[in-house]
Amino acid sequence: ETGVTQSPTHLIKTRGQQVTLRCSSQSGHNTVSWYQQALGQGPQFIFQYYREEENGRGNFPPRFSGLQFPNYSSELNVNALELDDSALYLCASSLSSDYGYTFGSGTRLTVV
Amino acid sequence: QKEVEQDPGPLSVPEGAIVSLNCTYSNSAFQYFMWYRQYSRKGPELLMYTYSSGNKEDGRFTAQVDKSSKYISLFIRDSQPSDSATYLCAMSAGTYKYIFGTGTRLKVLA
C-alpha cells in the first residue's frame, strides 16, 4: 500500500499562467477527488473522477479541469491563474463503495 | 449560514486531558460523518467515520453523532503532545462530495 502521492509539492506561478498538478492514487482505488484548501480553511470540493469520467463537481469555474487515466492516476489543470487560486491542492482516493478518502500531502500553489 | 460550523480554536489542553471537539451542521441529508487530523504541511488523515447516529470508538478516540440535534463530536482520551494538530470534521449525504468544517487547532501541552 503506497498511499496517495502528489507532485510537485510546491509551485509558484504568475497570474494568467496555466498549471498542471499530478496525483497517483492509492493502489486499488478507482475514485479520485480534488480539493482546494485555502489557508485557515477546510478543504473545498473541486471535482471527482470515477473510472476516467467526471461524476461530480463543486462550485469551481470551468478553468478548473481534470483527467483520470486508466491506471487511476489523475491531473488537475487550472487555466488563467488568479491570485485567489493560491492554496493547498489535495488529491484524495478511495474505492467507489468506500467512504473515508485517503488524502495526499498536497501541492502548495502560490500565484503571484 | 455555512452548512458545517466548527470552532477554529485554538484549543490548548494539558497532557492527559480529555479533549472534546465539535461540529454542527444544517443539512439533514448528511448521513456519513468523518473526522480527519491534519498536521502542518500535510494532507488530512482519516481518524474516524460513522454512518448515521451513534457512537464509535477506536483506541483513545470516540466519535459521536446526534442527528436529531445535527451535532457531532470527537473525544480524545489521555491526550498526548503528538495529538497537536488541526482536526477537521467532514460530512456527506452519501454522494461524492464531502463538506468540511474549517478545522479546530488543538495544542496539547507537555
Side-chain angles (χ1 to χ4, degrees), chain A:
Chain A
E1 192 171 282
T2 58
V4 177
T5 56
Q6 292 187 243
S7 62
T9 54
H10 297 86
L11 201 54
I12 300 175
K13 288 286 191 178
T14 302
R15 189 171 49 183
Q17 284 187 314
Q18 179 267 344
V19 69
T20 297
L21 310 181
R22 295 180 173 84
C23 172
S24 293
S25 300
Q26 183 164 321
S27 178
H29 285 185
N30 55 16
T31 301
V32 65
S33 298
W34 286 89
Y35 284 78
Q36 180 196 66
Q37 187 176 22
L39 199 61
Q41 300 297 315
Q44 299 288 315
F45 176 74
I46 303 175
F47 44 56
Q48 183 184 86
Y49 280 81
Y50 171 66
R51 293 186 175 177
E52 304 174 56
E53 297 285 333
E54 183 182 298
N55 74 338
R57 189 177 184 92
N59 295 325
F60 281 82
R63 59 189 185 85
F64 286 78
S65 63
L67 284 172
Q68 186 184 29
F69 300 100
N71 66 355
Y72 303 134
S73 64
S74 176
E75 287 182 354
L76 165 65
N77 299 288
V78 187
N79 293 322
L81 284 166
E82 300 177 359
L83 298 178
D84 285 349
D85 295 334
S86 296
L88 180 68
Y89 288 86
L90 294 162
C91 171
S93 73
S94 73
L95 290 173
S96 60
S97 60
D98 197 11
Y99 286 89
Y101 287 115
T102 300
F103 280 88
S105 292
T107 294
R108 172 85 47 199
L109 173 65
T110 302
V111 182
V112 297

Side-chain angles (χ1 to χ4, degrees), chain B residues 10-84:
Chain B
L11 178 63
S12 292
V13 300
E15 183 176 358
I18 296 174
V19 176
S20 173
L21 303 166
N22 311 295
C23 287
T24 59
Y25 63 95
S26 57
N27 188 345
S28 57
F30 288 146
Q31 300 182 70
Y32 296 88
F33 304 90
M34 281 71 65
W35 285 96
Y36 282 85
R37 177 175 62 195
Q38 187 172 25
Y39 291 113
S40 180
R41 302 182 185 279
K42 296 290 186 182
E45 171 194 9
L46 178 67
L47 287 175
M48 304 282 283
Y49 77 87
T50 311
Y51 172 69
S52 194
S53 288
N55 295 356
K56 186 173 183 179
E57 188 173 321
D58 185 1
R60 296 185 295 113
F61 298 92
T62 299
Q64 287 186 352
V65 175
D66 183 348
K67 290 189 72 179
S68 62
S69 300
K70 296 189 177 68
Y71 187 89
I72 70 169
S73 300
L74 177 70
F75 297 95
I76 307 174
R77 291 182 298 281
D78 187 25
S79 56
Q80 303 295 311
S82 59
D83 294 328
S84 298

